[in-house]
Amino acid sequence: MEDSIAPSELALLWKDNIWDRLLDSLDEQSVIPIVGSDLLTIENDGDTLTLDRYLAGRLADSNNLRADDIPDERGLNFVVCRLLRAHKDRYAICDDIFQIMKDSDLKPGEPLRKLAEIPAFNLFVTTTFAPLLERAVNETRFGGAAGTASISYSPKRVDDLPTSKDKLTRPTVYYLMGKLSATGGYVLSDEDLLEHVCDLQTPARRPERLFDELKKSHLLILGEGFSDWLARVFLRIAKGGRLSAMRESLEILADSRTQGDPGLVSFLQQFSSHTRVFRAGGAIDFVNELSRRWRERHPEAVPFDSSQATTALPPGGVFISYASEDAACAEELRSGLEAAGVTVWFDQESLRSGDNYHPRIEEYIARGCNCFVAMISQTTELRHEGYFRREWSLALERDRGIHHARRFILPVIVDDTLEPATVPRRFAELNYTWLPGGRVTPVFVRDVQGIIQNTRAP
């Protein structure tokens, strides 16, 4: 196979003109990195290993399985398949992995951090479920504060990009194969991957705005290690047409597997001339070189703006989510709860505008508060966009990982709206509370106090 490849092709991506084209595209913000498992490295007992290998070993140990025969590639899938053959419930496996991740407090490795700190990337797509990429962006750009938006795909609930890539107001990580949770909903095994890929091709389950961006952007497919046919299918889905068709965008594949797959390389050479395989190393080598060249071009760049850092928030309490037009009702509700001794997190800057994003909003919803109050009104019914909807999505994401017996979200209607039609379906399942004008009632206060008293903040 190597004999059919011209010598110039072997080191094509090391040529300055190719790198210059890529860096020019980065400056135009027309490049999207798609991040796979090869880039998710961690430090464990002085050794550097992939997160996949680490989780495979820990999952095997916690289930009394041999760990010495786990393969280096797709080790987690190997262990999961053994557990499924032993008739262990998939949701129990997901809970095991969730607890391992929660207890480990893993930090993103240097490759992810180098990729995340390039500010020209404002949209990342990840095919892994672990939030290490999201954490890397937060650490390199926001000093650890939760300034990154995250969106998770699920065939049962297709969350798309809120707007086009060029209008995103903060860096965004899209979990194409689902995001870590205690109840599953993400790709864990090869069978899950097959079903997910099929769902992505179904018109009713396709995140259209995301795939529009993938189609017109240059793609860096980093560390995926897809098998021959899966790589072909994935490229075809991402580009939305025949791979042999002429297009302006370029795809670069950098991983440890593709370059050694002669069948895939031959297919791409013949039918996808706009796809280049990085032959001088794996994903980490590519990111190291990209980071070096980007820094040379932008020596003045400062990865982290300290003004973005935020102070710690009080643990527990209530978060009130509202539209700017309902600020008076939000103030009334807050006053009523605080008068009863309930801690309420209420950003005064947001109170003035209602829609000013601040990184600590996401942090508090995702980890800090014990109760989320979603204020519903005619305003929220009429407004199909707004930061309150992002807050609702964050709360719903957390709610999916909470035991069904524990309450977290309280949907509150503050006017004469009778049948909300533009709220998430989950809100109706939780039952509405009517508090006209935001005025609390003794029953509502006791409800909130009960949730807080029976909840230990994560």
Side-chain angles (χ1 to χ4, degrees), residues 28-29 122-123 163-169 213 216:
E28 296 169 359
Q29 295 197 334
N122 72 331
L123 173 62
T163 185
S164 59
K165 179 180 177 295
D166 61 335
K167 294 181 180 177
L168 292 173
T169 58
E213 297 298 332
K216 65 186 182 183

Side-chain angles (χ1 to χ4, degrees), residues 376-377 380-381 384 389 417-425 432:
I376 302 166
S377 65
T380 60
E381 285 289 281
H384 289 204
R389 293 199 178 275
T417 301
L418 295 178
E419 298 271 349
T422 64
V423 299
R425 216 174 346 177
Y432 302 114

